[in-house]
Amino acid sequence: PLIINCQFEDNRAGEGGGALDCSYDASPIVQNSFFRRNTAAYGGATACRGNSNPYFNGCHFDRNVTEGDLSHGGAVLSFFWGEPNFNSCTFSRNSADVGGAVYSDTDSPSHLTSCTVAGNSGLVQGAGIFTNDCSPDIKTSIIAFQEGIGVLSLGRIMPSIFCSNIYGNTGGDWYGGLAPQAESNGNLCVDPMFCQTDLDLLYMFNIEEDSPCSIDGGACDNMGSWPVGCDTLMDTLIDLDMFTVVWIGGVPTITWLVEGESGYRANPEFRLARSSVQFPDQEQDIEYTFGQDGEFIARDTDFIPNGNESYFYRLYLILGDGTEYQLCTAHLFYTNRLPKIQNVGAFPNPFNP
């Protein structure tokens, strides 16, 4: 299957894969999707096994956790010949006993290309990535600022790491058998220079233009999953908790909530628009106000229904360069409750002239 622009939030599994379990030749393609606050015994967000080879592109794994005696792979666990691939993905604030972000077991490598792994925690071993007797490819990636060892590899074979930066992990960076790769293949152990430096709110991972992880900073390629430059914002900056349209006093009322850790801008800029389903490109902008605790509110007082037509409400995020990115859509149905009455007027009452 192809999964695009989806949000997997607050799911729970008693065993593997809190949001997505890929088993026995299951190999979905997952693009531009969020995995947030999911929980499982192992593989807090996703578990890959049984010759499954899923491909994840542009996904963000944030605050996923594992619980219990098999607490392996806060975001991802691959085992039993599972072999997932992650391209331009972000792993942040995930936690597990072993493999805070990613756990790769025997002959089951999780490959990372142009990924950012930051701010994860491993309570026992491998806060960022843990591998056991397998050799995943890790290319043009940043693995930084974990609470524990950045990459811990055990067994006969080690990961193959190219043009990547492992730095600032409290338990060690190029640790154990990985040490010989620290000064080869264009690898680094330097501050990546994230634009956002508050680790308690580590959510945005753009790197500064002169970062040593950028081509302009002397790197073999741009590293990580986020753009170079602090003025460029990504759609993943905004963490929407809800987007609803309800009738209040006969007026469509639209609300949405932005979580506090959704980036460095306290008041991001949006555009809210309405259109009919029949003419979806003919949008009318709607003014909104910023309430309290991250809540935005709009009342569509200009709404004039037309028969039994239905309408779209679309919310756009205005990025740093002025471009717009559509975040979500709500569908409003309007039904005339008195369909046979065409006109209501004032006429004399014949019984009381």
Side-chain angles (χ1 to χ4, degrees):
L2 178 61
I3 302 171
I4 302 177
N5 297 330
C6 291
Q7 299 192 38
F8 299 85
E9 297 181 341
D10 302 308
N11 300 289
R12 177 178 291 271
E15 295 185 1
L20 183 64
D21 185 9
C22 299
S23 300
Y24 306 108
D25 301 310
S27 299
I29 297 173
V30 186
Q31 296 183 2
N32 302 327
S33 295
F34 265 111
F35 293 80
R36 297 191 192 96
R37 301 183 301 268
N38 300 290
T39 304
Y42 50 89
T46 184
C48 306
R49 55 185 169 175
N51 296 305
S52 63
N53 302 109
Y55 176 77
F56 296 84
N57 181 64
C59 295
H60 196 144
F61 298 82
D62 184 61
R63 288 168 291 171
N64 302 285
V65 300
T66 56
E67 299 177 340
D69 296 336
L70 297 176
S71 178
H72 295 165
V76 176
L77 171 68
S78 57
F79 66 116
F80 193 43
W81 301 296
E83 191 169 348
N85 284 270
F86 299 89
N87 182 69
S88 298
C89 291
T90 302
F91 299 85
S92 61
R93 299 180 294 183
N94 304 286
S95 63
D97 287 351
V98 183
V102 179
Y103 183 112
S104 296
D105 207 358
T106 306
D107 297 324
S108 305
S110 296
H111 303 293
L112 277 66
T113 302
S114 299
C115 290
T116 296
V117 182
N120 303 282
S121 61
L123 303 180
V124 179
Q125 292 180 316
I129 297 173
F130 179 90
T131 71
N132 177 44
D133 226 6
C134 67
S135 183
D137 292 329
I138 300 175
K139 303 175 181 177
T140 57
S141 294
I142 299 174
I143 303 168
F145 305 122
Q146 327 300 328
E147 296 181 17
I149 299 173
V151 181
L152 178 61
S153 298
L154 304 179
R156 300 171 290 107
I157 50 179
M158 298 281 129
S160 297
I161 305 179
F162 302 89
C163 193
S164 294
N165 183 22
I166 305 178
Y167 173 83
N169 304 284
T170 61
D173 299 320
W174 295 91
Y175 188 88
L178 294 179
Q181 299 188 55
E183 299 180 357
S184 63
N185 301 325
N187 293 319
L188 301 173
C189 184
V190 293
D191 186 347
M193 297 173 61
F194 290 133
C195 296
Q196 179 178 329
T197 58
D198 188 344
L199 297 186
D200 291 333
L201 298 176
L202 199 59
Y203 192 88
M204 178 180 174
F205 301 96
N206 291 55
I207 56 177
E208 297 182 14
E209 291 183 1
D210 57 349
S211 164
C213 297
S214 69
I215 293 177
D216 290 342
C220 49
D221 201 346
N222 290 330
M223 301 179 187
S225 55
W226 288 66
V228 176
C230 298
D231 293 331
T232 304
L233 302 181
M234 293 181 64
D235 53 280
T236 48
L237 174 65
I238 297 300
D239 191 358
L240 283 180
D241 193 52
M242 68 174 186
F243 180 68
T244 59
V245 180
V246 296
W247 290 94
I248 298 180
V251 176
T253 302
I254 306 94
T255 59
W256 63 97
L257 181 66
V258 177
E259 293 195 358
E261 60 267 29
S262 292
Y264 68 85
R265 294 192 301 176
N267 191 358
E269 187 176 358
F270 298 100
R271 183 171 74 89
L272 177 65
R274 164 178 38 82
S275 68
S276 68
V277 173
Q278 185 178 1
F279 303 103
D281 295 331
Q282 298 179 12
E283 293 185 335
Q284 179 175 340
D285 289 351
I286 302 166
E287 294 185 358
Y288 65 86
T289 59
F290 178 68
Q292 295 181 347
D293 300 324
E295 185 179 37
F296 293 78
I297 303 172
R299 286 174 54 83
D300 190 4
T301 55
D302 293 332
F303 176 78
I304 300 177
N306 181 19
N308 293 331
E309 196 166 5
S310 55
Y311 299 83
F312 288 131
Y313 285 89
R314 297 186 180 94
L315 183 66
Y316 300 86
L317 171 66
I318 300 178
L319 304 181
D321 60 0
T323 60
E324 295 183 349
Y325 179 85
Q326 183 176 327
L327 292 174
C328 47
T329 301
H331 200 176
L332 178 70
F333 296 91
Y334 178 81
T335 302
N336 186 351
R337 295 184 178 181
L338 301 173
K340 294 184 179 180
I341 297 179
Q342 303 298 322
N343 183 43
V344 178
F347 290 91
N349 185 341
F351 301 99
N352 187 19

